[in-house]
Amino acid sequence: MNDVKLVLQEQLNNLGIIRRISKYEEKATYQSHYLGLVWQFLNPAIQIGIYYLVFGLGVNQGKQVDGVPFIIWMLIGIIAWFFISSSILGCSNSIYRQVGMVSKMKFPVSILPSVNITSNFVSYRAMMALLIVAMFFGGVTPSLYWLQYFYYFLCMIAFLFAFGILNATITVLVRDYHIMLQSILRLLFYVSGPIWNMKTMAQFQGKDTIVRILELNPIYYIIDGFRDSFLSKAWFWEKGSQTLLFWLIVGFLLIVGSHLHMKFRARFVDFI
């Protein structure tokens, strides 16, 4: 637990550094592009359009899901997925990519996953604004359930940091891990709920055990929670066992990730 305390303390003590580095990375990534930071919004918007054509109009044939147009239902899940998947991959490679900074100065290496998560907020905020506009025109009205969005947002950040510090450390130790993680995320895209409603899919009808196993996925818990909030379906405490399991997984990832990070970070440059 001392490792967890030290890692979390480094995040709190370096909030200013995290913000400054994340802003620098945002500008550096797109500085050679004519549209610059617009690509942080344009790129996911294009992908959303493709997914809607394929799954919304093609597979789902424009039918409503949970009483709302498919595009709104999909937006709630896929915006969260874009942020989660890009943060997982970015965090995984964050320490390895900054080997120059790690080797040349005394630097709190544990903040690098947080820097990556923070730099993804620009795109996330823009897409959330798009979602609010879409819900307004789609007839989704605000309710008291919307308040628990902040709870699920906290869940998302906690999971991403805990998983990120673990992934970043393992990627330094085993370089192939990052490539394997990319493949795992491709699979998770289809079983985490951003485009499929697994509870109503014909393939899962009568297969409650399989659905319950898939619902143990922390990413599914977060995406389904956002839909519960915006579509006014349920409170998070009504899913007691899922909520407890989610925080147990986050705690386990944070403890293991912090321990490995503190154990090996003095030798990161040697491994790289």
Side-chain angles (χ1 to χ4, degrees), residues 3 169 257-268 271:
D3 294 333
T169 302
S258 299
H259 175 70
L260 289 176
H261 179 82
M262 298 303 295
K263 180 177 180 180
F264 290 105
R265 76 172 177 180
R267 300 161 54 197
F268 278 164
F271 283 107

Side-chain angles (χ1 to χ4, degrees), residues 51-108:
Y51 288 133
Y52 178 66
L53 288 174
V54 175
F55 299 102
L57 299 181
V59 178
N60 200 56
Q61 299 180 350
K63 298 177 183 177
Q64 290 192 343
V65 182
D66 290 340
V68 298
F70 180 83
I71 184 63
I72 294 177
W73 183 90
M74 186 188 73
L75 276 174
I76 296 173
I78 209 164
I79 290 172
W81 169 260
F82 283 152
F83 181 72
I84 291 171
S85 61
S86 62
S87 295
I88 288 176
L89 288 177
C91 288
S92 173
N93 213 29
S94 59
I95 295 177
Y96 186 91
R97 185 165 51 87
Q98 298 287 358
V99 59
M101 185 185 301
V102 173
S103 61
K104 294 179 181 178
M105 65 181 71
K106 187 177 180 180
F107 187 81

Side-chain angles (χ1 to χ4, degrees), residues 1-14 108 110-111 161 165 254 258-259 261-263 265:
M1 293 301 293
N2 287 334
D3 294 333
V4 174
K5 182 180 178 181
L6 288 172
V7 167
L8 293 179
Q9 193 171 22
E10 286 184 344
Q11 312 309 306
L12 295 175
N13 293 341
N14 294 280
S110 68
I111 72 170
F161 176 74
I165 196 72
L254 183 59
S258 299
H259 175 70
H261 179 82
M262 298 303 295
K263 180 177 180 180
R265 76 172 177 180

